[in-house]
Every structure is written in C-alpha cells, then in structure tokens.
Amino acid sequence: MYNKTPVSNWADSYAISECNIGHNGALHFAADPVNAAARVLSLSAVKSKDIYDHNYSIMIGAVGDFISVVEQGVYMYKLPVVPKDTDVFTIERHNSDTIKYCLNGEVFYTSTAKSTADLYFVALFEQKDSFATHILMNYDICADLTIKFNKNATEAAVESVAKAVSYQGTARTLSVSVTNNTGLKSAKTLAIKAQNTRSIPVLSGTIPRVHDSTLFEKCSDLSISHEGVCSGLEVLFNTHYPQFTSFVVREINNVSFKADTRKISYNGVIIGTGNTVAEMAKQGLIITFNDNAIKESVEEVTKAIGVNFQVDAQDVTLSLVNYNGDKSVKTLTISTPFG
C-alpha cells in the first residue's frame, strides 16, 4: 500500500452493469492514454456510484500520467509505467477468492482482500472528456439476453439497439428472435455463426532470399488465416539485433502510412498502428490492428513491409500474435543476404 489518501467521488458521470462476473471471470479494458481526464473502472460487490463502495478498481490519470489500484477509496499500488495505446488492463478472479490485476496478461498486483461475492462492472469518469473503450466482461453465468422495450422505443431505436449487441466466447451459433407484448413470437429467427475469437492465427508462405524493395511483392503465397476479428492482432518482425535491421511500410497495394502518427491505412481507412522508430530499434517492427482490419487488409499491409539489412544483421522472423496472446503455429524467416 503506497498511500492511504482516499480519492474523490465523481458521482456525476458513471456507468454500472446489470450483469456480474459470477465466481469466475474478468473485466478487460484498454488503457486509452489520450484521455484528457481521469477515470476509474472497477469490479464491485456493491452497485454504487460512490468509489468508497467499490471493492477492486484501476484508476488511470489524465493522459495516462498515473495508473493506480484503488480499493474502497484507498490507493493500494501505483504501477510504474506509462500506458500505451495497445495496453490492456484486466481485473480478474479465476475459481478462487483472490482478485488479480493484470497488464497485457501479466499480473502486477494481487489484492489482499478476498472475495467470493458476485462482482459488477462500474465506471466513473472525472469529466466529459474522459472515456473508456474495448470494455469486455467475461463471466461464468450462461443465460440468454432479453431486451424489453418501453413505450418510448421507435422502430429505428429498436433496430439500432439490436445492431449494437456484441458477443464473445466459444459458442458456435446464436439465434435472434422477437416477441411482442401478447407473447406472439416472430415467424422468422436469425442464426448468427459465432466467431472464434480464441483461435490462433496461422501464417504460411515462402519468403525468398532477397533484400530489395520488392521483398514481399515476391512472396505471392503469403497468407494469414485467423478465425474471428482481427482487432488486437499483432504482426511482428523480430530479430536478435533489431538495431542492425530497419523496416519501412511502403505505400503500395492501397496501403498508406503516416510516419508522424504511426497510423496505417488500407483503402483510406485506418486499420492499425505501428510502433515508433525508437521502439523498432529495440524490439523490431510491431503492427497492431484495430476493429477495421480484415484478413485481406492485414495480408496487404504485411506484404507492404520492406526490410533493409545492415552488414551485422541477423535473420528476421515474421510471426503473429492474437488478442489473447496466442502466437501463430508457424513463423516465416527472412534470411540475411550476408553470410
């Protein structure tokens, strides 16, 4: 515990879930360091807009200037890192009474306050410039979602709400039906084939032993197979000594790249972000794709990457990692032209 000073109560801007995670589940959300104001996201046994009631919370300061664990208004731990766009925080409990706080799947703090109670999601925002994205809540209670509309609902509103419903998990199909207030059910139901967001991306193809500007244009059989959404999918170009190898995102095949923002677009739509030049010198090139990315655009961006080897460079390995941290079952190696 690093500070017992309680935090203030932001009662004017908040959100509370109706569902809980049960005994086994987790709350995931993105770091969003561009936030202009602080926010608190919690799992709590009490559905309250008062942070002093919240059992387990992560507070992120304005523009990511601090990240703290807060439990019932008391600061318990401060994470000594600056958050990045790709960072994902988790508050989780897995078949136990122990609550753990994670950054990108790695535990950075374990609560000493045990709990087996049902925990609800609560979000508090300091002001209107604060927000939270990519919020996911996994729980072990299996049930149908039923939405009951009141007299204020219009046809357009009902359609918009229905389209806004998302799903996750290992279900293979989902069905949608409509029932009116007399119990009459719709004559037709829709079946939705559920995407398997847990699948491991598979990379295949042959990379030739060349090192010119058309490197990936010559790799005609390069392909990426990934069941489910591409959001959070990472394409990595790794090497033992990245300072001896440089990468460039070439503007070919409808791919464009803004060096200042590191944003990558396909057909004019931003589909991902590349790490900075300084980061590439330490870890190689990492491209993280967003909700707009599809299989075709991921492949075209991958093929648009150019590699420049220096004399002391090592082989470069191309691999994939999905949102869950599962790595591709196959990697491709680009051999250096020196030897």
Side-chain angles (χ1 to χ4, degrees):
M1 185 181 302
Y2 75 94
N3 189 339
K4 287 192 175 183
T5 304
V7 298
S8 60
N9 176 28
W10 303 327
D12 294 333
S13 183
Y14 63 93
I16 302 175
S17 71
E18 288 299 321
C19 298
N20 60 72
I21 68 166
H23 185 56
N24 181 27
L27 166 67
H28 303 253
F29 57 92
D32 295 318
V34 297
N35 255 275
R39 67 276 192 202
V40 179
L41 289 94
S42 311
L43 284 178
S44 176
V46 179
K47 293 194 290 184
S48 166
K49 59 185 180 182
D50 189 339
I51 194 171
Y52 290 91
D53 294 330
H54 299 173
N55 300 90
Y56 310 101
S57 309
I58 291 179
M59 173 185 283
I60 304 179
V63 295
D65 59 349
F66 69 88
I67 308 156
S68 298
V69 171
V70 181
E71 295 184 350
Q72 294 185 305
V74 179
Y75 288 105
M76 306 300 294
Y77 179 81
K78 184 175 181 180
L79 191 62
V81 299
V82 177
K84 304 189 293 292
D85 288 336
T86 55
D87 284 340
V88 175
F89 288 100
T90 306
I91 307 175
E92 58 188 33
R93 176 177 61 192
H94 295 299
N95 294 319
S96 70
D97 58 1
T98 302
I99 309 297
K100 297 181 179 180
Y101 299 82
C102 304
L103 172 60
N104 299 326
E106 298 293 329
V107 177
F108 65 85
Y109 181 76
T110 300
S111 177
T112 58
K114 307 291 187 179
S115 175
T116 57
D118 292 341
L119 298 176
Y120 296 85
F121 163 63
V122 184
L124 298 179
F125 304 99
E126 183 180 18
Q127 59 192 49
K128 65 180 181 180
D129 294 326
S130 184
F131 60 89
T133 63
H134 295 82
I135 298 171
L136 296 173
M137 194 168 75
N138 302 322
Y139 49 92
D140 59 359
I141 300 175
C142 298
D144 296 331
L145 170 64
T146 302
I147 301 174
K148 294 183 179 180
F149 294 95
N150 60 29
K151 62 182 181 180
N152 297 318
T154 63
E155 181 180 351
V158 172
E159 286 190 0
S160 296
V161 170
K163 291 178 179 179
V165 175
S166 62
Y167 58 87
Q168 63 185 75
T170 58
R172 299 312 306 163
T173 57
L174 305 172
S175 62
V176 180
S177 61
V178 179
T179 305
N180 68 9
N181 60 355
T182 64
L184 181 63
K185 198 170 184 179
S186 59
K188 184 177 182 180
T189 59
L190 303 178
I192 304 170
K193 183 178 180 181
Q195 297 171 316
N196 182 3
T197 58
R198 300 176 183 274
S199 66
I200 298 177
V202 178
L203 179 66
S204 62
T206 305
I207 295 183
R209 190 182 176 90
V210 296
H211 65 291
D212 59 24
S213 62
T214 60
L215 175 64
F216 284 98
E217 290 175 327
K218 292 183 179 179
C219 183
S220 58
D221 62 344
L222 178 64
S223 66
I224 295 170
S225 299
H226 184 229
E227 295 179 19
V229 295
C230 290
S231 178
L233 179 68
E234 291 185 351
V235 173
L236 297 83
F237 292 83
N238 296 324
T239 176
H240 292 298
Y241 301 100
Q243 66 270 29
F244 295 132
T245 305
S246 59
F247 303 92
V248 59
V249 183
R250 294 173 295 118
E251 299 200 347
I252 60 171
N253 300 333
N254 299 318
V255 174
S256 61
F257 175 65
K258 300 297 183 183
D260 53 344
T261 63
R262 314 304 295 172
K263 302 295 185 183
I264 298 172
S265 301
Y266 181 69
N267 287 332
V269 177
I270 296 175
I271 62 169
T273 306
N275 54 349
T276 66
V277 175
E279 290 169 339
M280 285 193 289
K282 298 177 181 179
Q283 58 191 182
L285 173 63
I286 301 176
I287 299 173
T288 304
F289 292 93
N290 62 29
D291 292 333
N292 297 319
I294 60 176
K295 180 176 182 292
E296 176 187 0
S297 58
V298 172
E299 287 189 354
E300 291 303 322
V301 168
T302 304
K303 292 180 180 179
I305 305 301
V307 184
N308 294 316
F309 292 100
Q310 295 185 27
V311 175
D312 296 323
Q314 302 294 313
D315 292 350
V316 173
T317 300
L318 168 60
S319 60
L320 307 174
V321 176
N322 70 3
Y323 184 86
N324 299 316
D326 300 320
K327 198 170 184 180
S328 58
V329 294
K330 181 176 182 180
T331 58
L332 301 181
T333 299
I334 310 164
S335 298
T336 59
F338 317 106

